[in-house]
Amino acid sequence: MVSALTNGELVPDMGDKTVVVGGGVEDVYGEDSATEDQLVTPWTVSVASGYTLLRDPHHNKGLAFTEKERDAHYLRGLLPPSVSNQELQEKKLMHNLRQYDRPLHRYTAMMDLQERNERLFYKLLIDNVEELLPIVYTPTVGEACQKYGSIFRRPQGLFISLKEKGKILEVLKNWPEKSIQVIVVTDGERILGLGDLGCQGMGIPVGKLSLYTALGGVRPSACLPITIDVGTNNQKLLNDEFYIGLKQKRATGQEYAELLHEFMCAVKQNYGEKILVQFEDFANHNAFELLEKYRTTHLVFNDDIQGTASVVLAGLIAALKLVGGTLADHTFLFLGAGEAGTGIAELIALEISNKTNAPLEETRKKIWLVDSKGLVVSSRKESLQHFKKSWAHEHEPVKELLDAVKAIKPTVLIGTSGVGKTFTKDVVEAMASFNKKPLILALSNPTSQSECTAEEAYKWSGANNAYIFPGFGLGLIMSGTIRVHDDMLLAASEALAAQVTEENYEKGLIYPPFSNIRNISAHIAAKVAAKSYELGLASRLPRPKDLVKFAESCMYSPVYRNYL
């Protein structure tokens, strides 16, 4: 008999199968504590008609309701007589999706499906992840955010605006699901490389959380997307009569800080100490400040700073098998000194420091940054933003990237600038002139903002944040971790790098194929959880013996259930 944590208490499992209720959340419908062939009751309240069931995306199966279920749940006549199954539904929907010429139309069709039939949406996404990931997330989600006002149908998350100041706890209580484990929140100021999209940035938390479920196995009902609307400085949106957000300039300073602080306090009060809050697409100045301010009091994670860094570090660790040497043997040059660039740089410096026992101040000297004004050097220190100051090394000023490449002679060139076509032919040729195997990673999203394309530069990179954050989040949740530590990010990087096989290396790949992402996520979750237990930050005790198996047992399955 296995016990599972439910609202902080141990409860007996229903059978011999190792079952954990989503890493410690109450199993409202008895779905996770039942095996897939056990019958569950889809109703939480008494209803007189199956009409309601067909409109409940958590339980709707469409034509896959069996004859028995149609009788038991008042569905006769509400569906055509044909009885289908999930596999056939999946085949039909994939066929329909492929008929659309435009990715945005596929995105809209997928969102419609999510609102109609949740399990089928996730079955589709899990089974066709390489094809559908670019639809439900980057690059298509960028266009969806730009047009979110016109494609908005029904709320998929919570909108918290300045109007709700003083009432945020009440707003959180309006969300129907009570056992939330992870929140992805944005204020819409820096959506991908597209800038300030205000309230329309909601597409980002919605997309990110669908990947938490599909790739990391976190139950959909435990996920909450939130957009904090403090206005927008995008004049085009302010002039748009159909804009769905606050029509005012962005609040800043104390007004902004007070709203965010009320939000963070309300989240902790409503959901407890172990709620994971992932900051997403905040502007640089706010992103760093929020992470710094709340990392000691809340379980917080910034995917743009920490997630990107962890994925890139994993690629670099794996790439060492192709290019040789250790991280400490390499010289790194970044184009872009914002959230992603400085986040990656810091994690690389930390990893080198851990491996060589050299002080962080020394290992940072292997890493150079270029921003919009040129090479970040000590003579510019006074005018630099605080998060760039650690990277201002002794060197004469250099304005252009090409000149910086020639002066620094990096072995690794990483683009995080959000400016398209900046890794020119001259830059790539310069890298190749003094490196037998130069490593070039063009990371900016969406594709239109990427520094170069795969065809324009031979690069061993399929870097995508989605490799790390779903497994990272699962690891935190399943271990009941109360704070994120940098060593957990290093553990996630090493776990991802370890998933690259000899066969992948032979093809020049430094990331494993995405088709195996759930297995990859389980291994990342296990390593993150192990590090959390090692650091004394995990609250789920006793520690499971096999953390990989435990991670797999925590994962949500989108397979239909049979109803009583």
Side-chain angles (χ1 to χ4, degrees):
M1 183 71 80
V2 177
S3 291
L5 264 180
T6 303
N7 286 352
E9 295 177 9
L10 284 170
V11 293
D13 184 10
M14 290 173 64
D16 297 328
K17 187 180 171 188
T18 302
V19 172
V20 176
V21 185
V25 150
E26 188 175 357
D27 182 12
V28 180
Y29 305 116
E31 295 189 22
D32 292 85
S33 49
T35 59
E36 278 178 16
D37 53 356
Q38 281 178 302
L39 301 176
V40 294
T41 306
W43 307 111
T44 52
V45 291
S46 292
V47 292
S49 168
Y51 190 79
T52 314
L53 180 57
L54 290 176
R55 274 149 186 76
D56 177 358
H58 301 307
H59 300 103
N60 179 30
K61 300 198 287 187
L63 289 176
F65 281 111
T66 63
E67 300 284 4
K68 229 176 180 180
E69 289 168 338
R70 294 180 190 207
D71 285 332
H73 296 293
Y74 312 100
L75 292 166
R76 285 287 172 196
L78 299 179
L79 290 165
S82 171
V83 176
S84 186
N85 59 48
Q86 202 172 16
E87 288 66 35
L88 195 60
Q89 287 178 317
E90 185 180 346
K91 185 179 175 183
K92 178 185 173 183
L93 278 164
M94 284 308 297
H95 171 78
N96 291 348
L97 281 173
R98 288 167 184 149
Q99 304 309 304
Y100 292 114
D101 294 329
R102 292 191 55 198
L104 185 63
H105 294 157
R106 292 183 188 183
Y107 173 89
T108 308
M110 285 295 287
M111 292 305 104
D112 284 346
L113 176 61
Q114 189 177 17
E115 291 172 12
R116 191 173 71 246
N117 184 332
E118 189 176 80
R119 284 185 180 271
L120 187 54
F121 169 83
Y122 285 112
K123 185 84 166 64
L124 221 63
L125 189 48
I126 291 166
D127 292 349
N128 304 276
V129 65
E130 289 175 306
E131 184 175 348
L132 294 180
L133 186 69
I135 302 300
V136 299
Y137 205 59
T138 58
T140 311
V141 74
E143 187 186 355
C145 285
Q146 288 174 310
K147 298 172 181 174
Y148 203 79
S150 57
I151 62 175
F152 175 81
R153 284 179 171 80
R154 52 180 274 191
Q156 292 177 293
L158 278 178
F159 294 90
I160 297 174
S161 75
L162 289 165
K163 289 180 180 180
E164 281 72 59
K165 195 166 190 286
K167 298 182 284 190
I168 293 178
L169 184 60
E170 293 170 42
V171 174
L172 292 176
K173 290 181 186 296
N174 288 343
W175 189 249
E177 303 291 351
K178 304 306 174 194
S179 302
I180 301 297
Q181 293 176 314
V182 57
I183 288 170
V184 175
V185 60
T186 187
D187 71 353
E189 190 170 1
R190 193 200 63 85
I191 298 297
L192 303 173
L194 303 170
D196 187 346
L197 296 184
C199 191
Q200 296 186 173
M202 179 58 101
I204 295 294
V206 168
K208 270 268 150 81
L209 284 166
S210 67
L211 302 188
Y212 260 110
T213 298
L215 315 183
V218 179
R219 192 188 307 121
S221 59
C223 298
L224 175 54
I226 295 180
T227 292
I228 295 182
D229 187 356
V230 295
T232 179
N233 294 335
N234 185 328
Q235 200 56 48
K236 192 178 171 189
L237 292 178
L238 292 173
N239 295 339
D240 182 357
E241 65 175 321
F242 301 122
Y243 177 54
I244 59 175
L246 284 182
K247 289 199 175 181
Q248 64 175 68
K249 291 287 185 185
R250 277 189 175 272
T252 56
Q254 190 178 348
E255 187 181 11
Y256 180 88
E258 283 176 359
L259 189 75
L260 266 292
H261 190 64
E262 184 191 341
F263 168 72
M264 293 302 291
C265 293
V267 159
K268 197 167 170 179
Q269 187 178 340
N270 203 43
Y271 300 119
E273 191 77 37
K274 293 177 282 187
I275 177 75
L276 171 60
V277 178
Q278 180 172 313
F279 297 121
E280 197 67 38
D281 287 357
F282 283 77
N284 288 350
H285 54 285
N286 289 326
F288 286 103
E289 283 176 23
L290 288 169
L291 190 59
E292 202 53 45
K293 183 174 181 180
Y294 293 107
R295 68 191 309 169
T296 56
T297 58
H298 292 67
L299 182 66
V300 292
F301 173 67
N302 184 307
D303 198 38
D304 305 303
I305 299 172
Q306 297 166 296
T308 303
S310 192
V311 173
V312 174
L313 178 58
L316 294 173
I317 293 169
L320 294 176
K321 288 201 177 182
L322 293 172
V323 297
T326 65
L327 278 180
D329 299 328
H330 288 271
T331 303
F332 303 85
L333 180 65
F334 285 78
L335 175 63
E339 292 173 53
T342 53
I344 298 164
E346 187 66 15
L347 207 61
I348 292 170
L350 198 64
E351 176 76 354
I352 296 172
S353 175
N354 279 8
K355 290 284 187 279
T356 62
N357 292 322
L360 203 53
E361 293 71 29
E362 277 303 307
T363 60
R364 283 182 181 137
K365 290 176 183 172
K366 302 284 295 176
I367 302 165
W368 297 79
L369 273 56
V370 172
D371 65 9
S372 58
K373 293 181 174 63
L375 193 64
V376 175
V377 291
S378 50
S379 59
R380 293 178 51 198
K381 213 162 192 176
E382 292 306 309
S383 62
L384 289 173
Q385 291 160 288
H386 68 92
F387 54 86
K388 295 182 187 178
K389 290 184 189 288
S390 307
W391 309 101
H393 310 317
E394 286 293 331
H395 198 284
E396 70 269 12
V398 180
K399 286 274 187 195
E400 301 299 325
L401 174 64
L402 179 58
D403 296 330
V405 168
K406 288 175 178 175
I408 304 299
K409 292 188 167 46
T411 51
V412 182
L413 179 63
I414 299 174
T416 62
S417 63
V419 180
K421 310 298 180 189
T422 41
F423 286 178
T424 61
K425 186 169 182 279
D426 288 344
V427 168
V428 175
E429 283 177 351
M431 283 291 292
S433 70
F434 45 78
N435 289 302
K436 193 179 175 189
K437 290 182 177 178
L439 185 61
I440 302 172
L441 290 91
L443 303 175
S444 296
N445 275 321
T447 312
S448 61
Q449 308 301 121
S450 188
E451 288 76 14
C452 64
T453 65
E455 291 74 31
E456 290 163 342
Y458 179 78
K459 66 181 191 301
W460 301 297
S461 167
N464 188 312
N465 286 24
Y467 272 113
I468 289 282
F469 75 81
F472 187 81
L474 178 64
L476 299 176
I477 291 165
M478 75 185 203
S479 57
T481 295
I482 54 169
R483 298 289 178 269
V484 170
H485 191 284
D486 284 340
D487 284 358
M488 296 173 193
L489 296 165
L490 298 179
S493 297
E494 288 166 8
L496 176 55
Q499 294 299 304
V500 186
T501 64
E502 286 303 323
E503 191 185 341
N504 301 148
Y505 284 126
E506 283 166 19
K507 294 175 183 173
L509 299 172
I510 56 171
Y511 292 100
F514 221 87
S515 53
N516 201 23
I517 187 63
R518 274 206 155 197
N519 182 258
I520 294 165
S521 291
H523 281 85
I524 291 171
K527 289 291 186 189
V528 169
K531 184 57 71 175
S532 181
Y533 281 108
E534 186 186 316
L535 294 168
L537 292 169
S539 65
R540 188 196 184 281
L541 299 169
R543 169 182 166 154
K545 284 178 184 169
D546 187 330
L547 284 168
V548 175
K549 277 189 179 170
F550 182 65
E552 289 168 346
S553 77
C554 289
M555 286 182 163
Y556 165 84
S557 165
V559 176
Y560 285 150
R561 315 311 295 270
N562 295 318
Y563 299 144
L564 291 167

